[in-house]
Amino acid sequence: MPVAAGLLAPVPASAAETDGTSIIVTARGRAEALIAVPDTITAFDRQDIMARGLQTVDDIIAATPGVFIINDQDPGTNLISIRGVSTNRNQVPSIVYSVDGMALADPELFTLRAYDLASIEVLKGPQGALFGRSASGGVVNLTTVDAGPEAGGEARLGIGNGFTWTADAAVNAPLSSKVQLRLAGSFRDTDGFITNSFLGKKVDGFTSRNLRARLRAELSEASVLKLRLGWADEDGGAAYISSSNVTGLFGGRLAGKALANPVGDFEGRSSREWWGAQATLESELGNGMRLFWTAGLDDYSKDFVEELDFRNGPVTVFGTTFPQGLAPIAQPVGIRDYTSEARLISADDGRLRWLAGIFLQRLERDRTDDFGPLLFGAEAQRSETRSSQIGLFAQASYDLVPTVEATAALRYDRDDRKERSVGVNSGAVSVRREHVFEKVQPKLSLAWRPSANLTAYATGAIGFKAGGFNPAPFPPVDYQALFPSETTRSVEAGIKTALAGGRVRLSLAGFLTDYENFQNTVFFGNSIVFSVPRVDVHGLEVALDADLGAGFRLDGGAAWTESRIGRYLAPNPTPEEGEPAVLDLSGNRTPNAPDWTVNGALSWQGDLGAARINARISMAHVSRVDFEIDNILHSPGYTTVDTRLAATLGQWTFDIWAKNLFDRRWAISAFGQQQLPLLLSLEPGGPFDSFTINSGRQFGAGASLRF
């Protein structure tokens, strides 16, 4: 089982040891010691997940240097950056997000609540050879707790500020000696933390309801069938966006007085529902060879409504006055996908170790852009995207000598993509397009392991992200209706070591990545992707985990990533009189890619009377974040502190915790007037920039019972 055993299953010996080979990961399709894998991987076992309070993708990423996330607009819209490789709105993601061995088809699914997790692995750098067209930045791999043979479970109830209530539970219910069932659920309800000054109320409250059932059946001594069924339902506030002239008054620096509360007169709302099912077959075929097959489907729908002016009262845009403002604006999304993958895996103990497989995925995605009053009576359009993907892949590792391993992997991906724009009322098709995006993605690595506690390696890989379709071009800005695939070429060298009998684990890596056709999103009333010919990325990462003795442990990491645009001349999206029609953006930072991400923590575990105490204090630092390619709107660096104190007495655990203890404020996303003509022309009082502030300090307490 990857990294750690389930909540009630016995911990395997490898996970209980303290030497350098104790952490097990599945990054290369088989269980291996983390220290032996020639890639940069951050791994969390179940104990880590509980101690750190990792409950959302935001929590996971905040604990991982070199990775950054923006949750923007509504619960389903997100941008994730790994080593400067960033996703972009409404397009193919730049990372693979996998749950129980199945890659999710759309980033809308990435932010579904994570709960009852057994392990988390974050792989950095291009991983396309094994994971496919969306793995140009890396992979986030989650494993939920499997059903176990022993009856029992765990329940937790928590309360926090913002009148926040949480309830989580998981129960193992063996049906026979060969069939086990696990039921898990998670509930969260909060009034919110961000106040709309005009409406006089919190506007980021939400309710999240989640259920999961996992069934494990031993079909024979050599075969196991696993079934997973999940459901999620969420509703709450959305697009709680602030606006002011940050560019003119503060030079684009989103800090201090610039971080005003929202003042819009229309309350944004979002609701979404997801159903998912997965079947997995694991079979031993003899001589150590194994077959892994998984298939699943997702059915997802989201309703989303907002305003576009983020002001109160009448507004004027391009000389037209709107008495009720620019609202309501609706952008509902519907997703249905089918995914299947099969892998044939050789024995683990041979000099030659290999695997080969096939991946199939069908995605049906509909999104309506109903711009309300901005349509001036015209019909709203629905974009219907149909994507059929096939991937063929293989990997082989060979021990050249007992201490040197060479690995070669190769994958071919083909994405047959079709899209049409349809009137939501008439059904009339206004635009119809199709294109095939394909790529061969190799990966080579060489690893030297003079002992079980030391690995030095070098890796080279190519990854790609499929292109897509822009809305039909309109004057005065000229852009391509079809934007090409984004390609990354990366090399990495690193060292991993365990010292002091495994009490200290240290890893260091350096990397270089070249982009071709970096996909940059700009808003011209809708999402438009411009291809930046070249982006250069290089950086260093270090991670440390040290057992200090007497129950104390120190862990942390730092990542320096310099991601800069090469020679790039772009059309000026908001040309004013006297301004150039073309902007030179060469050398600018790429959006949503901070140069530095750092985190560290000191924890203590020990007995105090009859209680088992776990205490942890951690910090995280993010350097300057530029939200758009012109590098005007930006958030300066910020540092946050989190704490958790837990006491276990028999079957009970009581804890208190705080996130962002010192109540630091920053902007988590922004759209600038120099990139969005609507904001530049908005009156009265314009021009404006729009941005979303973070939720501030959160704290609470909880009680858990194991039974």
Side-chain angles (χ1 to χ4, degrees):
M1 180 177 292
V3 184
L7 175 64
L8 298 174
V11 177
S14 61
E17 297 169 358
T18 59
D19 65 12
T21 64
S22 61
I23 299 178
I24 305 300
V25 296
T26 58
R28 298 196 297 177
R30 64 178 76 240
E32 300 176 284
L34 171 63
I35 196 171
V37 179
D39 280 302
T40 300
I41 304 171
T42 300
F44 305 99
D45 62 16
R46 183 158 179 82
Q47 183 176 351
D48 284 332
I49 293 167
M50 297 177 69
R52 297 168 184 257
L54 305 182
Q55 297 180 329
T56 67
V57 66
D58 303 67
D59 296 333
I60 296 167
I61 287 174
T64 309
V67 187
F68 183 71
I69 186 172
I70 287 177
N71 272 332
D72 189 17
Q73 179 177 292
D74 65 84
T77 302
N78 61 87
L79 299 91
I80 299 176
S81 171
I82 299 181
R83 290 182 172 176
V85 182
S86 178
T87 57
N88 49 295
R89 295 171 179 84
N90 304 316
Q91 304 297 337
V92 175
S94 299
I95 68 163
V96 164
Y97 194 97
S98 174
V99 178
D100 292 330
M102 189 172 75
L104 302 185
D106 193 275
E108 284 275 349
L109 308 176
F110 294 0
T111 53
L112 293 172
R113 191 164 178 80
Y115 62 100
D116 198 33
L117 295 178
S119 68
I120 302 167
E121 300 171 14
V122 182
L123 289 69
K124 303 172 188 176
Q127 305 292 333
L130 283 185
F131 293 94
R133 63 166 170 77
S134 293
S136 56
V139 176
V140 177
N141 185 23
L142 275 58
T143 303
T144 62
V145 178
D146 202 359
E150 299 180 11
E154 182 179 36
R156 171 180 168 79
L157 184 65
I159 186 172
N161 64 321
F163 203 69
T164 302
W165 292 90
T166 61
D168 297 88
V171 178
N172 269 339
L175 304 181
S176 70
S177 61
K178 295 185 177 182
V179 180
Q180 293 95 38
L181 175 67
R182 183 177 182 85
L183 303 174
S186 177
F187 173 83
R188 178 182 171 107
D189 182 84
T190 180
D191 284 354
F193 307 92
I194 297 175
T195 299
N196 181 301
S197 300
F198 179 78
L199 297 177
K201 60 184 294 188
K202 303 291 186 183
V203 287
D204 62 327
F206 73 94
T207 302
S208 176
R209 313 163 189 86
N210 306 266
L211 294 173
R212 181 190 303 128
R214 290 201 59 169
L215 183 73
R216 186 181 190 276
E218 297 182 23
L219 304 182
S220 67
E221 292 185 359
S223 297
V224 174
L225 177 66
K226 299 179 181 180
L227 302 176
R228 176 170 62 89
L229 181 65
W231 169 78
D233 181 80
E234 296 181 350
D235 58 80
Y240 29 88
I241 296 175
S242 303
S243 65
S244 66
N245 187 8
V246 181
T247 297
L249 298 177
F250 303 97
R253 188 176 189 268
L254 283 156
K257 293 182 179 180
L259 296 176
N261 284 333
V263 294
D265 54 9
F266 184 91
E267 185 177 1
R269 302 294 296 177
S270 175
S271 63
R272 58 179 185 163
E273 184 177 30
W274 165 80
W275 286 93
Q278 181 183 6
T280 301
L281 179 66
E282 301 173 0
S283 295
E284 297 280 350
L285 303 180
N287 297 320
M289 189 174 296
R290 303 183 301 279
L291 173 67
F292 172 86
W293 169 84
T294 190
L297 61 89
D298 297 290
D299 191 284
Y300 174 92
S301 62
K302 179 184 74 177
D303 289 323
F304 168 62
V305 63
E306 63 167 342
E307 63 179 344
L308 281 186
D309 53 282
F310 312 118
R311 311 297 298 173
N312 52 74
V315 298
T316 300
V317 183
F318 304 128
T320 301
T321 298
F322 297 86
Q324 305 301 320
L326 302 181
I329 307 298
Q331 290 182 304
V333 172
I335 294 170
R336 178 169 293 180
D337 68 78
Y338 311 86
T339 303
S340 181
E341 179 172 314
R343 297 187 180 195
L344 189 62
I345 307 168
S346 73
D348 294 334
D349 54 1
R351 189 173 182 181
L352 174 66
R353 300 168 298 281
W354 56 267
L355 63 82
I358 182 172
F359 174 86
L360 303 170
Q361 191 169 75
R362 169 71 174 178
L363 171 65
E364 300 174 0
R365 190 182 201 272
D366 296 341
R367 191 190 77 169
T368 298
D369 292 317
D370 185 350
F371 292 106
L374 287 176
L375 292 174
F376 297 100
E379 185 178 31
Q381 297 291 304
R382 180 176 64 248
S383 295
E384 299 177 347
T385 302
R386 304 294 181 262
S387 171
S388 297
Q389 183 190 351
I390 181 171
L392 303 173
F393 58 93
Q395 176 179 276
S397 297
Y398 184 72
D399 297 330
L400 302 177
V401 296
T403 58
V404 179
E405 176 200 70
T407 300
L410 189 68
R411 182 180 183 116
Y412 167 72
D413 270 318
R414 176 188 171 96
D415 185 351
D416 189 347
R417 186 172 291 262
K418 301 178 181 179
E419 184 177 289
R420 66 176 192 171
S421 295
V422 180
V424 294
N425 297 319
S426 67
V429 178
S430 57
V431 178
R432 192 190 307 268
R433 292 171 292 189
E434 61 182 278
H435 193 80
V436 173
F437 302 96
E438 56 186 343
K439 187 73 175 179
V440 175
Q441 303 159 82
K443 182 177 183 180
L444 299 172
S445 63
L446 193 66
W448 175 56
R449 306 189 190 97
S451 73
N453 291 327
L454 176 63
T455 297
Y457 66 91
T459 295
I462 291 178
F464 99 110
K465 177 168 68 173
F469 310 109
N470 281 319
F474 59 90
V477 179
D478 184 29
Y479 56 86
Q480 295 179 328
L482 171 71
F483 58 90
S485 298
E486 178 181 284
T487 301
T488 55
R489 293 177 172 84
S490 179
V491 294
E492 175 181 337
I495 187 169
K496 302 179 180 181
T497 185
L499 307 169
R503 291 175 57 191
V504 178
R505 293 194 298 269
L506 176 68
S507 65
L508 177 67
F511 58 90
L512 298 170
T513 303
D514 290 332
Y515 280 90
E516 288 184 6
N517 298 320
F518 170 74
Q519 296 171 5
N520 178 61
T521 301
V522 179
F523 286 88
F524 295 120
N526 209 329
S527 302
I528 308 298
V529 175
F530 286 88
S531 291
V532 179
R534 183 181 177 88
V535 171
D536 299 312
V537 183
H538 54 270
L540 296 170
E541 292 188 9
V542 62
L544 172 70
D545 189 303
D547 182 351
L548 304 179
F552 288 94
R553 177 172 291 275
L554 177 69
D555 64 81
W560 169 67
T561 305
E562 188 173 272
S563 179
R564 300 295 186 266
I565 295 165
R567 176 69 174 164
Y568 180 49
L569 302 178
N572 188 343
T574 56
E576 292 281 293
E577 184 176 351
E579 292 185 350
V582 176
L583 302 176
D584 186 354
L585 301 176
S586 306
N588 280 16
R589 293 178 171 90
T590 54
N592 313 311
D595 284 357
W596 283 96
T597 52
V598 182
N599 60 39
L602 179 67
S603 59
W604 179 77
Q605 179 175 289
D607 294 327
L608 190 62
R612 185 67 170 172
I613 304 298
N614 283 273
R616 180 180 177 85
I617 183 168
S618 61
M619 60 76 63
H621 174 75
V622 176
S623 66
R624 168 174 170 151
V625 178
D626 289 277
F627 295 110
E628 294 171 319
I629 200 168
D630 61 12
N631 288 184
I632 296 176
L633 280 187
H634 66 277
S635 174
Y638 54 89
T639 302
T640 58
V641 175
D642 298 346
T643 62
R644 182 177 183 268
L645 176 64
T648 300
L649 290 160
Q651 295 175 302
W652 286 92
T653 297
F654 304 92
D655 67 286
I656 56 175
W657 56 271
K659 294 183 179 181
N660 190 10
L661 180 64
F662 298 107
D663 199 22
R664 293 295 306 274
R665 300 185 76 203
W666 62 88
I668 62 175
S669 69
F671 304 102
Q673 58 187 264
Q674 300 303 315
Q675 292 287 302
L676 185 55
L678 182 146
L679 294 174
L680 187 63
S681 65
L682 195 62
E683 295 292 344
F688 295 103
D689 302 285
S690 65
F691 55 91
T692 303
I693 57 177
N694 71 307
S695 56
R697 176 170 48 224
Q698 297 183 37
F699 55 87
S704 302
L705 172 66
R706 293 172 64 94
F707 53 88

